[in-house]
Amino acid sequence: MIFDSIRKEIEIQGQKIVLVEMDALNFTHMLSMKDESEAIFFLIAHSVESPKVDIEALKTFPSSVVNELTKECIAINGLSAEGNLPTGKSN
């Protein structure tokens, strides 16, 4: 591949997690999602490279962990917390 995805290792509650920037296809799909909470779970599931986690498992994580993962995934994918995630609302 001509371009490498950004990778970052983080630690949450003693667990090492490797994040990777999403590919353009998944990124575009996430931005088109109407349900913001589902878009956030999609963002995390497609940004966590190791250990792999699916959306249903994410929904059982403590909210503090999901909040931290969301913050880190927003950063690695070049999003801002204000306005770049789908909200289902039109401006």
Side-chain angles (χ1 to χ4, degrees):
M1 176 185 287
I2 192 167
F3 298 106
D4 293 326
S5 297
I6 299 168
R7 284 186 170 67
K8 179 182 179 182
E9 184 175 285
I10 63 170
E11 187 172 319
I12 300 175
Q13 293 185 358
Q15 175 74 42
K16 291 191 186 300
I17 300 164
V18 178
L19 301 178
V20 64
E21 179 183 18
M22 284 193 296
D23 62 37
L25 183 62
N26 282 324
F27 185 82
T28 303
H29 178 71
M30 180 207 58
L31 291 177
S32 72
M33 297 175 85
K34 301 289 184 216
D35 185 318
E36 184 176 6
S37 63
E38 290 302 316
I40 290 169
F41 288 124
F42 185 90
L43 168 68
I44 296 169
H46 287 85
S47 297
V48 173
E49 183 176 60
S50 173
K52 282 289 188 196
V53 63
D54 64 23
I55 291 172
E56 292 310 309
L58 280 170
K59 290 178 179 180
T60 68
F61 285 16
S63 61
S64 60
V65 172
V66 172
N67 287 337
E68 184 66 24
L69 284 169
T70 301
K71 181 180 80 172
E72 294 287 350
C73 292
I74 283 171
I76 200 167
N77 284 287
L79 297 165
S80 70
E82 303 83 29
N84 282 344
L85 283 176
T87 63
K89 300 174 190 168
S90 58
N91 293 333

